[in-house]
């Protein structure tokens, strides 16, 4: 199995990569364009692995080159990015690259440079890179990432092959998250996938955020209490937000997304109906939640709002 099978969506970019690999000829420069979080760096590493792989089904993930690239310790695959918190490349970074590109590789047949966020390269830096792209040292492969190719100089764009990457969508993002983030429940993966519009990188950042995780737990708790028609439990969870308007809005939005799945015969509902809440009840609760979110935005007092919500949601489950 090739590592490409674990990179979801983006069939065009993957086909191009398979073509280069089979052909044994990679362009000198490949530009990976796409929104932040859609896997540009990951895909750049996959290209690097495919270019150096010694196994079958390249990139195999098992040969010495693949393993080192995945661990980010391959001496001939360098990642160059703006320093954390900075948005531009330092002059020294570019000068070092220009000198280093002419030095022979350590252990691989070629050297590969991954240049991240090249939309932040100054015209000077891009022109310095252009010289390398025009007459690249033998075997050197440049992989550039950017959010929008038109932020680069036309002269640079014309020297590279551009591949566009896209977020794989909610269903595939959920699958990817379950594979990549340890101890994630299906429901957490689903929510994060929905809230990030199917962008795996963004979903991972959301999941790593402590505030988000706490809100997500409360949204799940609310749904569980509803499932049990536990009115007191519902009130208890809601009262935890009495001094946190923003948190309540986030939590209601998550519950809204979870319940919206119960009111339609969607992919998620078919796959596993997490909450046994009837579509009719889910619809009623959705109406209350949407009204509650409106009140929250209109600055209704929090104790009143949480009580109003608790009473409304509770009444949907009266037997
Ligand atoms: Zn390999």
């Amino acid at each position: 199995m090739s590592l490409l099978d674990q990179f979801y969506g983006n069939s065009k970019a993957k086909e191009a990569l398979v073509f280069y690999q089979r052909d044994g000829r990679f362009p000198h420069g490949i530009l990976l364009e796409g929104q932040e979080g859609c896997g540009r760096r990951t895909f750049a590493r996959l290209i690097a692995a495919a270019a150096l792989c010694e196994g079958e089904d390249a990139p195999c993930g098992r040969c010495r080159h693949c393993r080192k690239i995945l661990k980010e310790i391959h001496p001939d695959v360098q990642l160059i990015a703006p320093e954390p918190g900075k948005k531009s490349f330092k002059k020294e970074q570019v000068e070092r690259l220009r000198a280093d590109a002419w030095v022979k590789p350590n252990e691989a047949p070629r050297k590969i440079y991954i240049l991240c966020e090249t939309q932040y390269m100054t015209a000077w830096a891009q022109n310095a890179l252009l010289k390398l792209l025009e007459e690249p040292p033998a075997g050197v492969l440049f992989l550039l990432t950017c959010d929008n190719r038109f932020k680069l100089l036309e002269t640079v764009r014309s020297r590279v092959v551009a591949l566009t990457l896209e977020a794989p969508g909610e269903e595939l993002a959920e699958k990817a998250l379950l594979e990549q983030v340890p101890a994630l429940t299906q429901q957490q993966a689903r929510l994060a996938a929905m809230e990030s519009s199917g962008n795996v990188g963004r979903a991972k950042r959301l999941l790593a955020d402590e505030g988000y995780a706490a809100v997500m737990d409360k949204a799940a708790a609310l749904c569980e209490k509803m499932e049990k028609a536990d009115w007191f439990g519902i009130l208890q969870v809601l009262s935890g937000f009495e001094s946190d308007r923003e948190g309540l809005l986030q939590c209601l939005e998550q519950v809204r997304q979870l319940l919206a799945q119960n009111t339609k015969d969607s992919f998620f509902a078919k796959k596993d109906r997490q909450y046994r809440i009837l579509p009719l009840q889910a619809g009623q609760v959705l109406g209350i939640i949407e009204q509650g979110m409106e009140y929250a935005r209109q600055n209704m007092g929090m104790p009143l709002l949480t009580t109003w919500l608790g009473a409304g949601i509770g009444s949907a489950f009266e037997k």
Side-chain angles (χ1 to χ4, degrees):
M1 192 166 125
S2 155
L3 285 176
L4 287 182
D5 298 331
Q6 291 158 37
F7 190 84
Y8 293 126
N10 296 295
S11 52
K12 270 194 189 158
K14 288 194 283 192
E15 274 164 27
L17 176 49
V18 168
F19 175 77
Y20 300 143
Q21 203 275 328
R22 287 216 185 113
D23 201 34
R25 278 195 303 195
F26 283 79
H28 299 304
I30 301 176
L31 175 66
L32 298 170
E33 173 193 45
Q35 55 173 219
E36 154 279 319
C38 71
R40 295 167 303 183
R41 280 187 201 194
T42 305
F43 198 71
R45 288 204 182 87
L46 292 179
I47 298 177
L52 301 183
C53 183
E54 293 173 335
E56 282 173 26
D57 280 334
C60 71
R62 297 175 299 275
C63 72
R64 60 184 177 134
H65 293 307
C66 281
R67 284 205 314 269
K68 283 190 179 174
I69 291 170
L70 290 178
K71 282 192 200 156
E72 301 175 29
I73 53 167
H74 200 298
D76 297 316
V77 178
Q78 286 186 39
L79 188 129
I80 302 166
E83 286 175 7
K86 301 240 169 65
K87 287 204 162 175
S88 69
F89 284 79
K90 280 179 143 179
K91 200 172 175 190
E92 302 92 89
Q93 286 177 299
V94 181
E95 276 169 352
R96 216 179 304 135
L97 164 68
R98 278 171 75 180
D100 189 77
W102 294 97
V103 180
K104 280 198 172 143
N106 283 284
E107 54 188 77
R110 65 194 311 174
K111 286 181 109 160
I112 299 172
Y113 296 95
I114 301 173
L115 300 166
C116 300
E117 312 291 350
T118 54
Q119 70 269 18
Y120 297 130
M121 277 190 155
T122 59
W124 176 86
Q126 289 187 50
N127 278 316
L129 179 65
L130 185 62
K131 294 200 181 104
L132 281 171
L133 288 170
E134 276 170 342
E135 290 173 60
V140 171
L141 174 56
F142 293 100
L143 305 173
L144 282 59
T145 79
C146 75
D147 58 358
N148 180 340
R149 73 178 81 175
F150 294 103
K151 289 182 184 168
L152 297 182
L153 295 178
E154 201 279 326
T155 42
V156 171
R157 282 205 310 276
S158 66
R159 291 280 184 300
V160 295
V161 174
L163 301 177
T164 302
L165 296 180
E166 281 165 359
E170 291 177 9
E171 294 171 23
L172 290 172
E174 181 189 336
K175 204 170 159 212
L177 289 171
L178 283 168
E179 285 170 9
Q180 294 170 21
V181 185
L184 201 62
T185 67
Q186 184 145 31
Q187 182 206 312
Q188 289 168 330
R190 179 190 313 170
L191 260 182
M194 286 194 288
E195 290 205 21
S196 63
S197 308
N199 180 313
V200 180
R202 283 191 196 152
K204 281 185 180 168
R205 263 202 306 285
L206 267 181
L207 288 164
D209 182 281
E210 270 177 42
Y212 176 83
V215 167
M216 190 151 72
D217 287 346
K218 286 185 181 165
L222 263 183
C223 291
E224 276 160 31
K225 306 291 180 200
M226 283 185 220
E227 193 175 32
K228 293 180 191 148
D230 173 2
W231 191 7
F232 183 69
I234 292 169
L235 273 172
Q236 246 182 341
V237 177
L238 287 169
S239 68
F241 286 107
E242 276 192 5
S243 53
D244 181 10
R245 186 178 303 270
E246 212 34 56
L248 178 68
L249 270 166
Q250 283 173 4
C251 177
L252 292 178
E253 174 57 24
Q254 292 190 3
V255 173
R256 200 181 67 78
Q257 297 208 29
L258 285 172
L259 290 187
Q261 306 304 327
N262 275 48
T263 57
K264 58 183 186 206
D265 188 23
S266 72
F267 164 84
F268 292 120
K270 267 184 277 177
K271 199 162 73 174
D272 78 318
R273 190 178 286 267
Q274 194 100 15
Y275 297 109
R276 278 178 297 277
I277 296 173
L278 297 172
L280 181 71
Q281 290 174 324
Q284 259 177 288
V285 175
L286 274 177
I288 293 160
I289 283 180
E290 275 158 20
Q291 182 66 59
M293 290 171 81
E294 193 51 44
Y295 286 152
R297 288 191 203 101
Q298 292 166 2
N299 275 341
M300 184 195 255
M302 291 301 283
L304 178 60
L305 177 57
T306 50
T307 312
W308 181 87
L309 275 167
I313 295 171
S315 71
F317 293 96
E318 264 168 14
K319 296 201 172 99

